[in-house]
């Protein structure tokens, strides 16, 4: 309970004189009602303008409320969903790559909090020493990790879990091409 200098009880500790918007956010299925609120607008017109912008963004699918789904949870569900369409070896490789290279670095992050800089940091770590016994991974392996993540996060965008794919514009390490050796007849 807040009190003033004379000991008189204050009813509300919030400063008054600002406007707050509250909007219902549509949800799929029979989920509970969810609301979005923003406050601190100086005028009613500012609050109404922000409300219109929010509703327009919500109608176009650009507004997603934070979800508690982690990267590990989503990738497990995603792999179970796409596994029937994969060859047995591809499915096994996806599981190994996700378990060994992705989940230790990104698994605890929330899907909605995943940003391109998280992926860049992960790729750098893998290149520096993310392999067995701390050995660096090849650029080709890191590119494979990126390809799988891009596919999974693209499906997350399609499913409405993410507004955009954080892996879409992440720079990749350059694949090293082996030098070709040309032999003459005397060397053959």
């Amino acid at each position: 309970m807040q009190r003033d200098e004379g000991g008189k009880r204050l009813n509300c500790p919030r400063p008054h004189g600002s406007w707050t918007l509250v909007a219902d956010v549509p949800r799929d299925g029979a989920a509970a009602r969810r609301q979005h609120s923003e406050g601190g607008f100086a005028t009613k017109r500012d609050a109404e303008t922000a409300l219109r912008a929010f509703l327009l963004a919500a109608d176009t699918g650009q507004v997603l409320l934070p979800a508690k789904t982690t990267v590990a949870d989503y990738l497990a569900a995603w792999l179970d969903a796409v596994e029937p369409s994969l060859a047995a070896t591809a499915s096994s490789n996806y599981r190994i790559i996700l378990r060994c290279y992705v989940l230790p670095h990104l698994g605890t992050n929330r899907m909605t909090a995943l940003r391109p800089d998280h992926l860049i940091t992960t790729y750098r770590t893998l290149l520096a020493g993310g392999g067995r016994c701390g050995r660096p991974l090849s650029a080709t392996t890191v590119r494979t990790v990126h390809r799988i993540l891009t596919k999974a996060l693209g499906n997350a965008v399609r499913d409405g879990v993410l507004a955009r794919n954080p892996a879409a514009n992440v720079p990749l390490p350059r694949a090293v091409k082996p030098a070709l050796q040309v032999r003459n007849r005397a060397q053959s």
Side-chain angles (χ1 to χ4, degrees), residues 53-134:
F54 174 79
L55 292 175
L56 177 65
D59 286 342
T60 59
Q62 297 174 1
V63 172
L64 297 172
L65 294 180
K68 294 183 180 181
T69 304
T70 64
V71 172
D73 294 339
Y74 179 80
L75 289 177
W78 171 78
L79 195 53
D80 289 341
V82 298
E83 198 167 27
S85 66
L86 298 174
T89 55
S91 172
S92 174
N93 289 340
Y94 277 29
R95 285 198 186 283
I96 291 168
I97 287 172
L98 291 175
R99 186 189 67 219
C100 294
Y101 306 135
V102 176
L103 297 183
H105 300 284
L106 301 172
T108 58
N109 291 7
R110 287 187 176 185
M111 282 292 288
T112 54
L114 194 59
R115 297 188 321 263
D117 61 318
H118 293 133
L119 300 177
I120 292 169
T121 303
T122 298
Y123 298 162
R124 285 183 183 156
T125 303
L126 293 174
L127 285 168
R132 289 185 191 157
C133 302

Side-chain angles (χ1 to χ4, degrees), residues 22-28 31-37 54 64-68 110:
V22 178
D24 285 332
V25 179
R27 304 244 3 232
D28 294 335
R33 175 181 170 187
R34 291 189 69 175
Q35 291 185 324
H36 170 78
S37 65
F54 174 79
L64 297 172
L65 294 180
K68 294 183 180 181
R110 287 187 176 185

